[in-house]
Amino acid sequence: MRLFLTLLFRNRLAALGAVLLLALVLLCLVVPLLPLADPNVTDTPNKFLRPFSEGHLLGTDHLGRDLLSRLLWGTRLSLAVGVAAAAAAAFFGTLIGICAGYFGGWIDNGLMRLIDMIMAFPYILLALAIVAALGPGMLNALIAVAAVNVPFFARNIRGISVGLTAREFIDAARLSGQGHARIIVTELLPNVLPVIIVAISTTIGWMVLETAGLSFLGLGSQPPQADLGSMLGEARAALIAAPHTLIVPGAMIFVIVMSINLLGDGLRDALDPRLRSGALARPSPVTRIARPAPPPAETPARGVLDLDGLTTRFEVGAQVYKAVSDVSLTLGKGECLGLIGESGSGKSVTALSVTGLVASPPGVIAGGAARLDGVDLLSLPYRDLRGLRGRRIAYIFQDPLSTLHPLYRIGDQMVEAIRVHRKMPLAEARARCLDLLRTVQIPNAESRLSAYPHELSGGMRQRVGIAMALVNDPEVIIADEPTTALDVTVQAQVLALLDRLRRERGLSILFITHDFGVVGQLCDRVAVMYAGQIVEEGPTASILAAPAHPYTRRLIACVPELGGGRRQLAAIPGLPPAVNRLPAGCAFAPRCDRARPDCQRDPIALRVSGPRAARCLYPEEALS
Amino acid sequence: MRPQRLTRRAVLLSSATALIVAATGLRAPVLAQTPPGVLILGQVAEPKTLDPQAATAANDFRISVNVFDGLVRFRDGTLEVEPALAHSYDISGDGKTYTFHLREGIKFHDGSDFNAEAVKFTFERMLKKDHPYADTGPFPLAFFFSSVASVEAPDALTAVFTLTEPYAPFLANLATPTGYIVSPAAVAQHGADFGRNPSGTGPFKFAEWRANEMVAIEKNPDYWDGAPASEAIVFRPITDANTRTAEMLAGGLDIMVEVPPVTLSQFRNDQYTIVEAAGAHLWFLILNCKDGAFADKRVRQAANYAVNKEALVNNVLEGTATVAAGPTPAAFNWAVNPDVTPYPYDPEKARALLAEAGTPNPKITFFVTEGGSGMLDPVAMGTAIQADLAAVGFDVTIQTYEWNTFLDQVNPGLSGKADMAEMAWMTNDPDTLPYLALRAEAFPDKGGFNSGYYANPEVDELLNRARVSTDQAERAELYKKMQVIVHDDAPWLFVANWKQNAVATAAVKGLVLQPSFLLTLKNVSKA
Amino acid sequence: MTTPALQVDGLSKSFPVGRGLLRGATTMVHALQPLSLEVRPGETLGIVGESGCGKTTLARMLVGLSQPSTGTILIDGKPLDTSDRRVSSQQIQYVFQDPISSLNPRKTIRQTMETPLRILFGMDAAARTARIHEVFEAVNLRPEFLDRYPHEFSGGQAQRIGIARALLARPKIIVLDEPVSALDVSVQAQVLNLLADLKTQYGLTYLFISHDLAVIEAVSDRIAVLYFGTLVEIGAADRIFARPSHPYTRLLARSAPVVGRPLAPQDTAGAELPDPLNPPPGCAFAQRCPKVSQLCRTKVPQLQETGETQRAACHHPDQT
Amino acid sequence: MGRYILYRLLSAVPVVLGITVIVFFIMSLIPGDPATAILGAYASPENVARLNADLGLDKPMVQRYFIWLGNMLTGDFGRSFSLNRPVLDEILERFSATLILAGVSLLICAVLGIVAGVVSAARQYGLADKAITLAVLVGISIPSFFLGMLLILIFAVQLRWLPVSGMYEVYGGRTLVDLLRHIILPATALAAVATGVVARLSRGAMLEVLRQDYIRTARAKGVSETGVIWRHALRAAMVSIIPVLGIQAGFVLSGAVYIEVVFQWPGVGRMLVDAILKRDLLLVQGGVTFVAACYVLFNIIVDVAQSLIDPRIKA
């Protein structure tokens, strides 16, 4: 709750809305106690007094009634009706929506057709007809406004209920013997509630407007009772002669609706879990770079791609997540370097940091350099960096279904990848793409060019992803778990393809994975990451045969390997540390059976020994 | 990516073009003056029909009165009847036979001749169910002529009406649009669509009707009573009074009728002229004399004393009405009793009467309409009346109804529903309103409009005698007696007689309003 | 021979696709072809297959989350009646694939755990608390976790909660649907070991569904291989991948990444599954199979003995 | 695709029929009848009964409904007694006016709303974003009829830039420029709320889309920021914007009622209000059937557009 309020008021506009609304509500509550003129006493000789007249702060209306008093009483009534109508519409809309969403099938169909009918009926006419049938009056206007808004809630809630009903916890509830009614009330409703609250908060304003509209057409409150809409309606004739009688209630409606909208937006944002992590912020084209001491822009190159003390953080509120800390790697020409680690170890962030693709906010590159042939990519101006992306460094991502644009044809996406970097006639570009699709062994490549990503199988999509990475003949390919989402038989094919391509084309590949089996088959060298740091690095065969870091050894040990038969696995106790609360010293120490007190004291350096390196004070075996 | 991008560009391009065109239009010299010789008149609604027998609304009459003529008409500025298409008429001694002598050589706009057969056709179409063109109706106001037994055309220029019983208002009814003569040839040609293709003998010919935009009529140079002053008149329907006012102020109209009282002040300068005319209109409250507090005459009188009618007509209605004295509007000058004066505003007296009646705080349900023909500003007036009544001790609850529902509630009688209801009548004969709404024979269940169940045998007797008399002096005497009694019995709360108004630009000359509410534009011109 | 803990006969699932009205007769898609198998008490039967092979469909039918189109399910020789959860929940339980999604985000763990005890067994508060603490201890969770919400847990912890929930009703059989595929390898081993311990402790029978050959081999006594809704091979865990009878099993076994084995494409014909709306008339694997014959394209192969413990649905099986 | 459209059209028929039943039912609940409306002050029960018989309204409701339905299916929507002309003529004339007004408003709302939303999202938390957010807030918080009246007061009466009311000059040609001059104010007033809603939604949809993996892919390919936003992100955001345009079309069609009253626009909305007040059942029935059919049709168009833009949606 505290968190919620903090979030709500972090949004200054929402706070303004809340304060305004609260002030209005309080004002409305104390209206009967205020020393106001009787709102209904007419004094026709003193009609249309201008604002700031004596005894009438806001002037008088066409019958000489005090506008201030009518305004406050009217606001009270309008607000009450708006809230009540929103609540009523929410109640019935939710009932219909939840039932339709939960039961599905013909119940869903029937209810939704009914809702369609109500929606196809012009809502003002429906309200008008309802009021005409029931007679005018605020209560009937309320019923009409609530009725015409039921579809809004019903449709919203149904959509969410359908999604929730497909979730596994509903299945779990069924298995635990709960009946439909109980599941709806205890399982679905609590999850729908925030949405209802947000919907109500955003519709109250709308309800106030609509009730005002009905009153404006003369179908709302009964004279002499004031509500904002009827005040507007009564003042309409005086629009030209005495505009203040119109503007006063009009401005009040505006203020009410605006403050409700502000608060509603704030509520929606505060209740949206994604906003807590800043996930609805727009990611900038390049990760924010805030390096205290920018490294030299160019140094002699060790390999094609050199990472030099690369450090990337996520800053969410006051929390700092050290996703990547001081990572240095060298990828040689034609080499395949494996980067292995569990989720959260920072391997993907490392890969994305190279060309500034980490979403920012919340990502920040806080130090280090990523050099292509010695040139620091992170020091380049955006135009130059963009010119390198996809041309000299290309990416292959994990899940091609979400990483290929779902609405563009395969061919178009590939052609675009070429033509953002150089002018090439369309036909030539397409021919090149076709050629590449054949290279990655896509059957019927011609027709696949005009296919959409969802029309291909996972394996085919990933081949497209590979082909797309190759369109500009890049020097470096960064493959971020390219086979993780694939079935095992498909994975084998894709790995074989990658292996062949790199040998044929002399590609340098940074291959990110969590699977030692894959690393063992594909990579020349491997670097192991844990909690944002490289803990061990060296030639693949040598590390697999004799891991130096206890984490590497135990990670290898706890993965079952085919052909090992039925067995007890050597699990690692505990969990990896959260990267916003990293311990001093070795991050693995709390789970390590070889840890000694000094492991947890100071940061531990990567000790290099020949082709291998390890970040451990007490390695498994001394590195030669 | 290819075709889609093109379409998106196309959309952007076309919308940009639209905006540019719009902007250019915005800069164009705005608001062409209305053309010379053509009057543009702001109406309150889209006319329903220009068929004079089928029309019921004053709004429709404003057009048809300029396209058609009756056998007789109201003399300029009065409610007295003078000959029109008939140059003279005779009434039999028993008051049951009317013989009209028609003018010669008049042609309908469609070129056919006006003659006695046309008169016979007009009335038989309306009155006889088996007439070949009876289905071109319905004719809701046919009951104005329900006393007509037959119409004969002994020769081309003589029309004879035979009535079932003497009926004094007959001539006045003939002067209303319901009695206007239509072209049989045009009815035959257009059938049910005659209402959108009218043809009469009036000073203007129907020219064009663009639904919801305008109805245009143009000069009939051969008009028997002299050619009209303007070339054409365009009637624009603008339902919203506020928009109508704005349009007038913005220069889009030459003449505007039914000016909302609150906006009158905008026109009180030398760019505009405001014309008004007291009409045969009465705005009153029906009081329920049968049950509830108003069954007591003293309470009814108290209500009449309690309401500040001066304030209503001067402040709420901005002087567009006068205080009503009794059941007969002052416009029927020959029939009005000058000794009957309005109940003065006297809250003390009202309280005293309430105390005397033993009901210091009577509970009153008050039916108010939101609008309606002749109802002026019913919600504001109702609200002001409610406040006045509350000030002397009445406990009044307002229930508003949209006009049709209101009529549906009020016309069947107030008993069991309400104590008081707003009502207004525009009539053209002093007989109509009291005869239909004050007699015991006119209780709602007997087909009348006496929704407040007022019954006074003396009044019934006076009205019955007046109706069958053809002597205006005798009728006047009877009506004057009736007014004294009704004023004292106070079955109604008499509030106002509307002075209808209109605003014209200073360039418009000759605009005069008639007490009959019929807007004759023959002599109006624009400089 | 003892009564099987679970016996499935001719179980199949098909559902209609397409909108009626204009499309004429609707087509049926067979998510699972008629399938028969037995699980002995105390045994772990692994079910392995790639996406779309029907393994989750099978699991959901076994626990009554969806109704079979044909076939019967017998538990201890008695038909499973999932309409009475009081009985069926003590016979068979389910552990979901996504541990977090299977917990209601708006309920504390205690509320989630208490529901079945209250509804199915009408236990009073004290009895419920006792039972919950008991299972929590069994899965190595601290009781203070009970008052937290699901989002406060890591995947491994949430999966322990899911397992604890399955244990509440003291079932004999637990269907584990990819219980570790959402977990990191270091945590995966913890959960697998826990499952093994619980099995011994409570004498459970497992149906363990996974796409990971190594995992399934490490936990199972016998393994069934599914392909495109069909059971293609079943046999002892220690033999089936070492000496597969069915070409698909062979392909699977060869495809699993193994350190030191050279990378070579196992089949080049493309790993596409057949179109479910247009299933091939013969063997579903025919188009990828190196040993395909005309017979395979026309006739559906039936399951037949190919070795002592192994059976395969293939016209040209390798004898083991 | 053709088959899908046919399917959708056919399945819309029961919805529209259902609406006609609802209209008939509600109208029959409303007290008052057309005869009262026609007769006005002369509406005594006797006169009313007589006129009702003339109008054929003395038959039972169900029978009248089926008579109406039968006639409608042959293209005869009956004759309006309040306007004394065939319902279909009146509706067709007025419907075009409403469609023009609603169409222009919808165009304004779509173009302006989407552009504002995209710019707002692209410049999140920047000056443009704040200005747009504020403008949007004003747009969605002001009653359309109030805005309409203010616009008349300022631009027509005070400044005399634009005409107060109507669709064309009464005299003179019915030119496009004339129409545009007349439509600016009402279309603006009508579009205000919808534009605000679309802009807010577009902003949200864009922000959502910009977080997607395929946007990262586009950037990784080296696509420029303009390309990322207008080509990659907007296209994907349209998938969630288009349905909202469909809903807004409904609101715009409905909201036209107020605007048509205020601006004297000769459209079907104002006609329907009058028709309800006058108990002109056949006119209400015909008009609502048209509006509903139009709405349903528009939704089909939206769905088709949706499936054209998003190949994943099977049409």
Side-chain angles (χ1 to χ4, degrees), chain B residues 21 30 48 56 192-193 196 210-213 234 236-239 243 247 249 402 404-405 408 411 447 449, chain D residues 32 37-38 41-44 79 81-83 85 93-94 160-161 165 170 174 180 230 262 264 266 277 279:
Chain B
V21 172
V30 174
K48 179 193 158 195
T56 57
D193 284 331
R196 294 181 87 82
R210 284 196 221 147
N212 316 303
E213 283 185 58
V234 174
R236 279 190 65 189
I238 306 179
T239 326
T243 309
E247 194 65 88
L249 286 170
E402 162 284 313
N404 293 298
T405 320
D408 217 44
N411 285 344
F449 295 90
Chain D
I38 294 171
Y42 297 110
S44 69
R79 204 177 168 86
F81 28 76
S82 73
L83 296 166
R85 67 184 299 209
E93 245 179 68
R94 288 186 171 253
R160 291 206 175 189
W161 285 358
S165 67
V170 174
R174 302 162 71 109
L180 284 172
W230 292 97
V262 172
Q264 199 59 31
L277 296 183
R279 309 291 180 263

Side-chain angles (χ1 to χ4, degrees), chain D residues 131-204:
Chain D
I132 289 171
T133 307
L134 191 73
V136 160
L137 203 62
V138 172
I140 56 171
S141 304
I142 202 163
S144 65
F145 49 90
F146 182 63
L147 180 63
M149 289 191 285
L150 290 184
L151 289 178
I152 289 184
L153 196 59
I154 296 168
F155 292 101
V157 176
Q158 296 296 331
L159 298 172
R160 291 206 175 189
W161 285 358
L162 292 165
V164 174
S165 67
M167 191 165 166
Y168 294 103
E169 284 306 322
V170 174
Y171 251 76
R174 302 162 71 109
T175 59
L176 183 64
V177 174
D178 195 23
L179 174 63
L180 284 172
R181 278 179 358 96
H182 279 81
I183 211 169
I184 292 175
L185 294 185
T188 308
L190 183 54
V193 173
T195 308
V197 172
V198 170
R200 268 155 64 110
L201 185 106
S202 304
R203 179 177 184 269

Side-chain angles (χ1 to χ4, degrees), chain A residues 168-169 171 174 178 187 190-191 342-343 457 460 487 489 493 521 560 563-567 569 572 574 591, chain C residues 50-51 60 85 98 101 104-107 115 184 186 190 193 214 217-221 257 261 267 272:
Chain A
E168 289 182 337
F169 71 85
D171 284 338
R174 286 201 191 117
Q178 302 189 53
E187 306 281 339
N191 285 290
E342 296 180 85
S343 47
S457 69
M460 286 302 141
D487 277 324
T489 55
Q493 293 166 1
Q521 285 180 304
R566 190 141 184 235
R567 65 197 170 263
L569 298 164
I572 311 175
R591 303 169 75 184
Chain C
E50 295 178 288
S51 41
R60 291 176 63 86
R85 294 256 173 238
D98 182 346
S101 157
N104 187 338
R106 306 251 158 213
K107 280 180 152 183
T115 311
D184 263 319
S186 67
Q190 295 171 9
N193 288 341
E217 188 196 51
V219 301
S220 306
D221 299 306
R261 184 198 283 164
D267 63 339
E272 307 278 322

Side-chain angles (χ1 to χ4, degrees), chain C residues 238-256:
Chain C
D238 49 2
R239 292 186 62 87
I240 189 162
F241 293 128
R243 295 171 167 276
S245 298
H246 196 283
Y248 176 65
T249 318
R250 179 180 306 277
L251 174 65
L252 270 183
R254 294 237 182 116
S255 299

Side-chain angles (χ1 to χ4, degrees), chain B residues 142-277:
Chain B
F143 67 89
F144 275 16
F145 297 100
S146 52
S147 56
V148 173
S150 69
V151 184
E152 296 305 325
D155 63 62
L157 296 178
T158 311
V160 181
F161 288 73
T162 311
L163 307 189
T164 49
E165 56 185 346
Y167 180 52
F170 178 63
L171 277 178
N173 285 350
L174 276 181
T176 64
T178 316
Y180 288 174
I181 309 302
V182 300
S183 159
V187 171
Q189 187 190 340
H190 297 290
D193 284 331
F194 175 71
R196 294 181 87 82
N197 301 276
S199 179
T201 58
F204 291 91
K205 300 177 193 173
F206 169 77
E208 191 188 0
W209 182 338
R210 284 196 221 147
N212 316 303
E213 283 185 58
M214 60 97 150
V215 173
I217 55 177
E218 61 190 20
K219 184 179 197 166
N220 174 8
D222 307 321
Y223 187 52
W224 59 269
D225 201 16
S230 291
E231 289 303 314
I233 301 172
V234 174
F235 296 85
R236 279 190 65 189
I238 306 179
T239 326
D240 189 77
N242 203 40
T243 309
R244 206 157 60 238
T245 310
E247 194 65 88
M248 187 79 200
L249 286 170
L253 297 175
D254 295 312
I255 303 172
M256 156 184 172
V257 296
E258 296 194 21
V259 187
V262 293
T263 59
L264 268 178
S265 56
Q266 301 295 311
F267 299 108
R268 295 199 205 279
N269 57 47
D270 52 8
Q271 286 176 289
Y272 301 97
T273 42
I274 302 176
V275 291
E276 29 177 57

